[in-house]
């Protein structure tokens, strides 16, 4: 009994021609860095037997998730920056929304697992091999993917059951839950709180678990500080940088009512582009073992 919207119009980051060319150059280079940097990490970890510890196994999975995360949004954004019409089909928009939350939530869970791995290595070194066995690592990584899928399917089902019959302009450069459900032709109060409870609480809880892990790590290092613990502290510092770039924008965007606040598309750039770019830089330039393995490769 209503005409369904068949496509959405993405407004992008800017409608100024000069800025669009500038953005295309910048984001193309950033996307290339994400692909090349993270692929280099994956190949290095897979080919060097010395990098067989659980930390590098988890890092390899993080690099793969970073490639997937930025590939969900960046190619479409690059095409739109050079095209006149920025229309995206309804089905493609929902697919982009699904895969973005699938990969994004999986990465949140994986970063939490990586923090647990560092906590176990530093605070319980004698039990580390038994706790973080190869089988345990595979179980934890599989649980991260399963949790991401469950989160994403809930977000997607809550979105597609809404009626879209009027406005079709999305003030963003990709399809995400907040800007999409604002266009629904119905009251979304209950839906947006369900979604905020889902996405926002996942981001907040994972972030709190991470902060707690690093608090215990810092307390342990302060009590018994050695040269090995200085190396561990350096590794954790780089991990904290990645976590801050990824989690803080997500908490800011998703842990609030979507219809009350304006679109924050410029903040979305931080966790869809900058965070995947930072990972290969931080985990290679601040890690002597990775740098040595890459030179050897």
């Amino acid at each position: 009994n209503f005409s369904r919207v068949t496509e959405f119009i993405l407004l992008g980051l800017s409608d100024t021609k000069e800025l669009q060319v500038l953005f295309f150059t910048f984001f193309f280079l950033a996307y290339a860095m994400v692909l090349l940097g993270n692929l280099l990490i994956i190949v290095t970890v897979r080919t060097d037997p010395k990098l067989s510890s659980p930390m590098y196994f988890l890092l390899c999975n993080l690099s793969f998730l970073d490639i997937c995360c930025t590939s969900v949004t960046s190619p479409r954004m690059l095409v739109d920056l050079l095209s006149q019409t920025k229309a995206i089909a309804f089905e493609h928009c929902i697919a982009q929304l699904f895969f973005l939350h699938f990969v994004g939530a999986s990465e949140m869970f994986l970063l939490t697992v990586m923090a647990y791995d560092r906590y176990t290595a530093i605070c319980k070194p004698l039990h580390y091999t038994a706790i973080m066995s190869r089988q345990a690592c595979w179980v934890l990584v599989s649980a991260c993917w399963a949790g991401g899928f469950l989160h994403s399917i809930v977000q997607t089902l809550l979105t597609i059951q809404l009626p879209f019959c009027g406005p079709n302009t999305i003030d963003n450069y990709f399809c995400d839950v907040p800007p999409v459900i604002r266009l629904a032709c119905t009251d979304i109060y209950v839906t947006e709180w369900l979604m905020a409870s889902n996405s926002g609480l996942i981001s907040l809880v994972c972030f709190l678990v991470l902060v707690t892990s690093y608090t215990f790590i810092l307390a342990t290092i302060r009590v018994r500080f050695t040269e090995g613990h200085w190396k561990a502290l350096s590794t954790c510092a780089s991990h904290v940088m990645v976590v801050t770039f990824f989690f803080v924008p997500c908490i800011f965007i998703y842990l609030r009512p979507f219809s009350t606040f304006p679109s924050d598309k410029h903040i979305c750039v931080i966790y869809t582009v900058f965070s995947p770019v930072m990972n290969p830089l931080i985990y290679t330039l601040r890690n002597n073992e990775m740098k040595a393995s890459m030179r050897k490769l």
Side-chain angles (χ1 to χ4, degrees), residues 229-263:
H229 285 99
W230 173 257
K231 178 183 174 183
L233 182 61
S234 177
T235 303
C236 291
S238 62
H239 196 174
V240 169
M241 291 176 63
V242 175
V243 165
T244 303
F245 271 103
F246 189 74
F247 277 93
V248 173
C250 290
I251 294 172
F252 177 76
I253 289 174
Y254 294 112
L255 194 61
R256 62 183 188 179
F258 302 146
S259 59
T260 309
F261 295 88
S263 175

Side-chain angles (χ1 to χ4, degrees), residues 24 29 51 60 63 76 101 108 114 140 151 166 180 203 211 228 244 246 259 263:
F24 176 85
L29 293 175
L51 303 180
C60 188
S63 295
R76 175 82 205 188
H101 280 267
M108 286 185 182
M114 292 177 72
L140 289 171
H151 157 77
V180 169
S203 305
V211 171
T244 303
F246 189 74
S259 59
S263 175

Side-chain angles (χ1 to χ4, degrees), residues 2-297:
F2 57 86
S3 59
R4 183 180 179 184
V5 169
T6 58
E7 66 178 18
F8 293 108
I9 306 299
L10 298 171
L11 295 183
L13 292 172
S14 173
D15 55 359
T16 306
K17 187 66 176 177
E18 292 76 13
L19 279 178
Q20 288 181 350
V21 174
L22 181 64
F23 284 148
F24 176 85
T25 304
F26 175 77
F27 288 118
F28 177 79
L29 293 175
Y31 185 49
M33 286 180 61
V34 172
L35 294 180
L36 295 175
N38 285 292
L39 281 174
L40 182 59
I41 289 176
I42 293 172
V43 173
T44 304
V45 173
R46 298 292 294 175
T47 55
D48 193 341
K50 293 181 180 179
L51 303 180
S52 59
S53 66
M55 182 180 76
Y56 293 110
F57 173 76
L58 296 174
L59 175 60
C60 188
N61 281 273
L62 177 65
S63 295
F64 178 72
L65 282 171
D66 277 335
I67 292 173
C68 294
C69 185
T70 193
S71 295
V72 173
T73 58
S74 292
R76 175 82 205 188
M77 176 178 60
L78 293 173
V79 171
D80 286 344
L81 284 171
L82 297 181
S83 61
Q84 296 296 325
T85 58
K86 299 176 175 60
I88 182 172
F90 180 85
E91 293 79 9
H92 296 169
C93 182
I94 296 300
Q96 188 180 54
L97 184 152
F98 169 79
F99 284 110
L100 178 68
H101 280 267
F102 178 27
V103 178
S106 299
E107 184 164 345
M108 286 185 182
F109 296 136
L110 184 63
L111 286 169
T112 307
V113 170
M114 292 177 72
Y116 175 72
D117 170 71
R118 292 298 84 207
Y119 162 77
T120 308
I122 296 170
C123 300
K124 299 182 179 181
L126 298 179
H127 301 280
Y128 178 69
T129 306
I131 295 174
M132 296 300 294
S133 63
R134 198 66 167 174
Q135 183 180 4
C137 288
W138 277 108
V139 170
L140 289 171
V141 170
S142 300
C144 292
W145 283 93
F149 177 81
L150 186 62
H151 157 77
S152 184
I153 202 69
V154 170
Q155 296 289 86
T156 306
L157 291 175
L158 286 172
T159 302
I160 62 176
Q161 55 87 28
L162 295 171
F164 296 94
C165 55
N168 68 335
T169 302
I170 296 177
D171 187 17
N172 210 327
Y173 59 93
F174 65 95
C175 289
D176 197 9
V177 168
V180 169
I181 69 169
R182 288 193 191 104
L183 305 178
C185 304
T186 185
D187 182 18
I188 61 169
Y189 180 80
V190 176
T191 303
E192 68 178 343
W193 275 109
L194 288 173
M195 289 181 167
S197 300
N198 190 350
S199 296
L201 283 181
I202 286 177
S203 305
L204 182 61
V205 170
C206 289
F207 184 68
L208 291 177
V209 171
L210 285 160
V211 171
T212 303
S213 299
Y214 289 121
T215 301
F216 280 113
I217 289 172
L218 290 174
T220 302
I221 291 176
R222 184 176 60 85
V223 172
R224 42 190 177 92
F225 196 84
T226 63
E227 184 178 351
H229 285 99
W230 173 257
K231 178 183 174 183
L233 182 61
S234 177
T235 303
C236 291
S238 62
H239 196 174
V240 169
M241 291 176 63
V242 175
V243 165
T244 303
F245 271 103
F246 189 74
F247 277 93
V248 173
C250 290
I251 294 172
F252 177 76
I253 289 174
Y254 294 112
L255 194 61
R256 62 183 188 179
F258 302 146
S259 59
T260 309
F261 295 88
S263 175
D264 294 299
K265 55 188 176 183
H266 297 95
I267 296 178
C268 296
V269 174
I270 298 176
Y271 67 88
T272 58
V273 178
F274 286 140
S275 181
V277 169
M278 292 293 292
N279 283 350
L281 293 176
I282 288 173
Y283 284 109
T284 54
L285 297 180
R286 293 180 58 84
N287 190 312
N288 291 328
E289 288 180 342
M290 283 294 296
K291 287 191 290 186
S293 297
M294 286 180 176
R295 282 194 292 267
K296 180 181 176 182
L297 181 67

